[in-house]
Amino acid sequence: MDPEARASDRDRETTVVRLQRAYVDGRLASEEMESRVERALTAVSHGDLAKLTADLPERPGEVVTLTSKAGKIVRTGQWRVPRVLRIESEFADPRLDLTEAEIDYPEIILDLHLSFGSARITLPQGASADTDEVTCEWSGVSSEAPGAARPGLLHVRVTGELSFSKVRIGYRGATRRRWFTR
């Protein structure tokens, strides 16, 4: 991410949550956490925010990688979603249903590296999904969700590389349009 790019309210909120978790983990003293939170809330760029968390390690479970070759990756029901979920898959069709999942972050990143597969991501109602950081080679991404983050609602950033693959992002119960109806 460009350090000079202007930060959004969502970016500031994500940084504040990370600082609060570092305080709870005992990595920051109360005064330091308060000072960093104040600077996070007034930060202008992504670089300003990155400086506030640069010395903090990732918490266990914040970044998870799932790998499959011609197998299944399915997450449905009540499951804990990490801040970054990286999926590396060949000849598989990952299915991620976020509707009942436990999500502790206002924004999550789904980093997809798919070859010869088709992924389906089901979002909770009102969630948004930004797919601008996906690189496609003979592939495609379709999303029913708005790309811009909405205050107070989950925002999913989809990143990664697709080769001969498809990614579909939508909501539960959304009906597909059919060419022919009875």
Side-chain angles (χ1 to χ4, degrees):
M1 192 162 287
D2 180 12
E4 299 300 316
R6 292 189 71 83
S8 68
D9 287 339
R10 174 82 57 175
D11 298 327
R12 287 186 273 279
E13 288 173 20
T14 301
T15 301
V16 168
V17 167
R18 186 150 180 225
L19 292 169
Q20 290 170 335
R21 287 174 189 250
Y23 170 72
V24 169
D25 289 346
R27 297 186 187 281
L28 294 176
S30 158
E31 299 81 26
E32 186 177 8
M33 190 262 312
E34 289 173 9
S35 171
R36 289 188 190 199
V37 165
E38 185 176 318
R39 288 186 296 174
L41 294 173
T42 58
V44 174
S45 70
H46 286 279
D48 296 338
L49 292 173
K51 290 175 193 172
L52 298 172
T53 59
D55 62 338
L56 300 176
E58 295 285 341
R59 287 181 61 173
E62 281 191 340
V63 178
V64 173
T65 301
L66 302 176
T67 306
S68 176
K69 186 167 185 168
K72 289 187 174 190
I73 296 176
V74 178
R75 298 292 184 268
T76 61
Q78 294 181 346
W79 61 288
R80 182 170 300 282
V81 179
R83 186 178 62 77
V84 177
L85 178 59
R86 183 170 294 120
I87 296 180
E88 299 169 356
S89 172
E90 290 184 65
F91 303 102
D93 297 328
R95 301 284 181 255
L96 304 174
D97 186 343
L98 304 175
T99 55
E100 297 177 33
E102 295 178 35
I103 304 171
D104 296 333
Y105 310 94
E107 176 180 284
I108 61 171
I109 298 171
L110 300 179
D111 187 30
L112 307 176
H113 297 270
L114 308 178
S115 297
F116 304 100
S118 177
R120 175 76 180 147
I121 301 168
T122 306
L123 302 173
Q125 288 299 321
S128 55
D130 177 4
T131 60
D132 291 345
E133 296 178 58
V134 177
T135 303
C136 296
E137 180 181 341
W138 296 92
S139 302
V141 178
S142 65
S143 176
E144 298 173 6
R150 298 174 179 178
L153 296 172
L154 174 66
H155 182 64
V156 178
R157 279 188 33 227
V158 182
T159 63
E161 298 175 357
L162 309 177
S163 297
F164 303 98
S165 301
K166 282 192 257 184
V167 174
R168 291 187 182 100
I169 303 168
Y171 301 103
R172 183 182 280 176
T175 57
R176 287 188 172 176
R177 293 183 179 159
R178 298 181 187 205
W179 288 99
F180 301 102
T181 57
R182 292 184 191 191

